[in-house]
Amino acid sequence: MTAADGAWEVLAAPGLVTLQDAGRVGLAHLGVPRAGPLDAPAAALARRLVGGRDDDAVLEVTLAGVTLRAGRARWVAVTGAPCAVQVDGRAVAHGAAVRVPRGAVLTLGPVDAGVRSYLAVGGGWDVAPVLGSRSTDTLAWVGPPRVGPGTLLPVGRDDAAPVALDVVGRARRGPLRVVPGPRVDRFAPGTWERLCATAYVVGDAADRVGLRLLGEPLERVDERELASEGTVLGAVQVPPDGRPVVLLADHPVTGGYPVVAVVRRDDLAVCAQLRPGDAVRFTVS
């Protein structure tokens, strides 16, 4: 595939940019994470705006933006973290379908708030799937490689008419709703209540694998080592320092730290847009 074949060329990608579709489902027993977009509602909205399918691949753009040259005219939509969007230097709408002519340069600037923006294109980004998915897993780097300058992104043949939406969905705000995890008994009495009463902040170790939180440590009363066991999306595990880690889309499928709680799937989009230093609280689901 070359630019002459209609592929879009990435001109600049100063931060992490990856391809994400619905994810690599059903392979956890082989040690393969699911991946997929961290802010699933934002990615789904971008697809809908350009008339795409539920499993079309989108670009997940982290913090610093991306610039591409259109190899073929297409409808595009940018959702998620707000950022300036331009076509050949002209400002266009965020959260709406925009037509990009062949040869034009599309630019997503750095985000104004949050962390991750999503770029959908009519027909989807038609890269070759790996193990049944076009998602990039950043833990083991399974899937398409990281998107960078010079990357050529083919687009699908379908370019449906954009879809008019009356309401642009927004991620839920507020505390993360949790249910008790399977290892609450490994912690001191009252730990569940203390987890939901403590004000945490996101630490510097925040990526697609998980969010490490800073705050009052949770006290373990059973220090016996756990056998490696399966972990789920949204699990709140507690390493030896007592500070919780919320596992996100690229998390390992097994772990040895006790899981004290699990974040509701509907609230994981909140985690996708949290930056280091942002406040985090938990509440009983």
Side-chain angles (χ1 to χ4, degrees):
M1 170 63 69
T2 66
D5 297 319
W8 287 42
E9 181 183 3
V10 179
L11 303 179
L16 177 65
V17 180
T18 61
L19 284 149
Q20 302 295 336
D21 61 10
R24 205 165 275 105
V25 181
L27 296 178
H29 66 293
L30 299 177
V32 181
R34 173 172 179 157
L38 289 198
D39 190 339
L45 174 61
R47 295 187 190 103
R48 292 199 305 275
L49 284 167
V50 297
R53 298 178 294 270
D54 291 345
D55 61 348
D56 282 350
V58 300
L59 286 184
E60 183 177 88
V61 183
T62 305
L63 290 174
V66 68
T67 302
L68 308 95
R69 179 180 288 114
R72 183 171 288 149
R74 279 291 185 269
W75 290 100
V76 304
V78 180
T79 61
C83 63
V85 185
Q86 296 182 335
V87 176
D88 281 343
R90 176 178 58 88
V92 297
H94 180 285
V98 174
R99 189 68 174 176
V100 179
R102 178 178 179 178
V105 174
L106 172 68
T107 302
L108 279 62
V111 299
D112 300 323
V115 178
R116 295 172 176 88
S117 302
Y118 293 85
L119 171 60
V121 63
W125 301 108
D126 196 21
V127 299
V130 177
L131 296 178
S133 171
R134 294 180 171 90
S135 288
T136 301
D137 159 35
T138 63
L139 182 65
W141 292 105
V142 175
R146 174 176 176 166
V147 173
T151 298
L152 294 176
L153 297 171
V155 294
R157 293 184 177 276
D158 297 332
D159 188 23
V163 177
L165 298 178
D166 293 331
V167 178
V168 174
R170 298 193 181 277
R172 177 186 170 276
R173 301 295 180 185
L176 300 176
R177 295 170 291 183
V178 290
V179 296
R183 300 297 180 185
V184 175
D185 59 344
R186 293 260 173 159
F187 297 88
T191 291
W192 174 248
E193 292 77 11
R194 189 157 53 255
L195 175 74
C196 295
T198 299
Y200 293 98
V201 297
V202 179
D204 290 338
D207 55 21
R208 284 185 48 85
V209 177
L211 295 178
R212 187 177 296 275
L213 305 182
L214 305 178
E216 181 185 355
L218 299 177
E219 180 187 356
R220 286 176 60 175
V221 293
D222 187 342
E223 297 289 348
R224 289 176 299 168
E225 186 172 340
L226 277 171
S228 183
E229 57 186 6
T231 56
V232 298
L233 184 63
V236 181
Q237 64 176 10
V238 182
D241 67 4
R243 293 177 173 86
V245 177
V246 182
L247 299 183
L248 301 179
D250 290 354
H251 71 85
V253 297
T254 60
Y257 300 140
V259 173
V260 69
V262 179
V263 177
R264 281 183 49 166
R265 187 175 294 266
D266 291 347
D267 288 1
L268 293 174
V270 177
C271 298
Q273 302 297 354
L274 292 173
R275 296 186 179 196
D278 283 350
V280 176
R281 299 193 76 102
F282 297 100
T283 188
V284 177
S285 174

